[in-house]
Amino acid sequence: MSAPDFLFALHFLGGSARSWELLSRALGDTPTCVPVDLPGFGNAAGASGFSVDAMADHVAAVIRSRAPARFAIAGHSMGAKVALALARRSEDGDAGLDGLTDLILISGSPPSPEPIPEDRRAKMLAWIDADPETRLREAKAFVRANVGDGLDPEIEARAVADVLQAAPAAWKAWLEAGSHEDLSRRVGILRTPALILAGSEDADLGADAQHALMAPHLAYHRVVTVDGVGHLLPLERPEALSDLLRKHFDDRPRADGAQAPEVPPAYAALIASERVNSRLRSALEERAEPDDPAYQPEALDPVELAILRAACARVLPTPGVDVAARLDTRLASGAGDGWRFVALPPDPEAYRVALRTLDAAARAANSRPFVVLDGREQDALLTLAERGQLSVPETLGGRLDDDRMRFWFEDLRADVVRLWLAHPAALARVGFSGIGAGGDRPGPIADGLPGFHQVGPDTPEPWEPRPAHQEAVR
């Protein structure tokens, strides 16, 4: 698919529509860049409505006024959160937004609360209402702190002027409210193809934050880190940004179709035979269906689901089966094995708090979120959980103590193995023929009586398929 017709571009906190002029020049008219001043900034400095929803309403009106058949939204920092809210509206069928083809998220503020250190937030709030000399000094410091190698003096001067033009009410509204808004469950997991961009020198919203907090909300995405760049990529490297957009439009991240593990023909024939009762056959056929790459979690939120996927991959790799999504479905249904550790809360809550504790442990030990650690680092943390030695202070995000993390990790291992072994491909691999013990009707079947007759060692019934791993070896 070619580039969209329009690219509606939403700026960062303190930016304006002018922040996109360099990119617009580099792109030419493919697509046509339509920068938008968000309420309280640039030429919309006098406008009101500073919540994420209000800003999304403002942008939606601009998009509808153009009535584009095909369009993308680029969101930079604060603008990315607004872009995600608009993408959810588009996928939900809002009128006038159905032509959305792509999301370009640059140093994006995620759907969850933005990870701004509180001392920095307080400082930014303190100077916005200060005297003109202080405001000028701090605006310059704000721009310079957010770039890698510095900006051309003219570009820097325009960026500083934009910051000074911002309405203090809008600036404070973002820092005090908008950046704190938690839209995780509402945004959910989007199907719109997305390019996620991060600067290698971005302290708060760099690659780690994008992988941990942004990527879990996008089923089809690519994360690219731009070396030497801070938080202001459209100002720092507009030509490189233009090239990245063109490459994205030429090769969007898309799944070619979910690939479920193949059930060997002999085992599939057993499932289809009259030896298997119809209720069990239906259950097995349902379990064999491919998992949806854009599965919407119900018990967990998308970030927790991403942590669970990473943990499950270390416990037991299950290629082609999204065990974490199936576990979330089970948690949401309230079904279980009939018991739990008395020290743990009900299963859905236990999983939520345990996964957040695991992520907090990763940040405490490695200064990075769990999902971006390599396998060895993840295994080390899970081993501590297994031993009852994973302890994280509550002030750092720990929500379960070491003993309860040990209990939870025992539950996790059992759940992962149980869900994997319920899949027909896994049953075939281990050679489990118990599914053929009896069909729907009593009496003889086509090849004799149902059930097992050969009970000695190494004496399989004629109708039993060999274990799939034995077939592969032979």
Side-chain angles (χ1 to χ4, degrees), residues 227-318:
D227 289 336
V229 168
H231 190 64
L232 304 183
L233 176 59
L235 298 178
E236 297 177 73
R237 303 272 183 84
E239 293 83 7
L241 177 55
S242 174
D243 290 342
L244 288 166
L245 264 61
R246 294 187 192 283
K247 290 178 183 177
H248 168 79
F249 296 139
D250 288 341
D251 182 24
R252 290 174 171 84
R254 269 292 184 190
D256 295 328
Q259 299 295 317
E262 182 183 1
V263 179
Y267 205 82
L270 173 60
I271 293 173
S273 76
E274 58 183 332
R275 285 187 171 275
V276 178
N277 74 65
S278 55
R279 289 181 61 193
L280 178 55
R281 183 182 303 114
S282 295
L284 292 170
E285 289 172 347
E286 182 179 347
R287 294 171 194 168
E289 288 292 318
D291 292 305
D292 182 359
Y295 169 78
Q296 298 285 350
E298 299 178 66
L300 308 177
D301 68 27
V303 169
E304 291 159 353
L305 180 63
I307 301 169
L308 180 58
R309 283 179 171 139
C312 288
R314 304 312 304 169
V315 170
L316 179 65
T318 56

Side-chain angles (χ1 to χ4, degrees), residues 204-472:
D204 299 325
L205 290 171
D208 281 0
Q210 299 307 316
H211 279 289
L213 301 176
M214 182 70 80
H217 292 274
L218 299 151
Y220 308 109
H221 69 271
R222 185 178 295 118
V223 181
V224 176
T225 302
V226 184
D227 289 336
V229 168
H231 190 64
L232 304 183
L233 176 59
L235 298 178
E236 297 177 73
R237 303 272 183 84
E239 293 83 7
L241 177 55
S242 174
D243 290 342
L244 288 166
L245 264 61
R246 294 187 192 283
K247 290 178 183 177
H248 168 79
F249 296 139
D250 288 341
D251 182 24
R252 290 174 171 84
R254 269 292 184 190
D256 295 328
Q259 299 295 317
E262 182 183 1
V263 179
Y267 205 82
L270 173 60
I271 293 173
S273 76
E274 58 183 332
R275 285 187 171 275
V276 178
N277 74 65
S278 55
R279 289 181 61 193
L280 178 55
R281 183 182 303 114
S282 295
L284 292 170
E285 289 172 347
E286 182 179 347
R287 294 171 194 168
E289 288 292 318
D291 292 305
D292 182 359
Y295 169 78
Q296 298 285 350
E298 299 178 66
L300 308 177
D301 68 27
V303 169
E304 291 159 353
L305 180 63
I307 301 169
L308 180 58
R309 283 179 171 139
C312 288
R314 304 312 304 169
V315 170
L316 179 65
T318 56
V321 179
D322 190 348
V323 170
R326 296 181 182 217
L327 179 49
D328 176 82
T329 298
R330 198 270 290 169
L331 292 172
S333 73
D337 52 17
W339 76 283
R340 64 178 173 86
F341 290 105
V342 69
L344 291 176
D347 287 351
E349 182 183 351
Y351 265 88
R352 286 192 292 268
V353 295
L355 291 166
R356 292 294 183 174
T357 299
L358 181 61
D359 191 56
R363 295 172 186 273
N366 304 85
S367 299
R368 304 185 74 193
F370 184 80
V371 296
V372 304
L373 300 181
D374 63 33
R376 178 184 55 81
E377 293 167 326
Q378 291 176 339
D379 288 349
L381 292 168
L382 293 173
T383 298
L384 290 175
E386 179 187 19
R387 295 172 178 170
Q389 297 173 348
L390 189 71
S391 181
V392 188
E394 189 173 345
T395 54
L396 297 180
R399 305 186 191 185
L400 291 182
D401 61 22
D402 47 8
D403 261 349
R404 290 188 291 170
M405 283 299 290
R406 175 167 59 90
F407 295 146
W408 167 78
F409 190 52
E410 183 175 327
D411 272 349
L412 172 65
R413 285 173 287 166
D415 286 336
V416 170
V417 172
R418 184 181 299 111
L419 284 164
W420 167 238
L421 284 177
H423 195 284
L427 294 174
R429 181 172 175 78
V430 301
F432 179 73
S433 301
I435 63 170
D440 291 320
R441 59 186 178 85
I445 57 178
D447 58 357
L449 292 171
F452 293 85
H453 306 282
Q454 304 294 333
V455 294
D458 300 321
T459 55
E461 301 282 346
W463 53 266
E464 288 186 83
R466 291 198 305 270
H469 72 279
Q470 290 184 9
E471 293 180 3

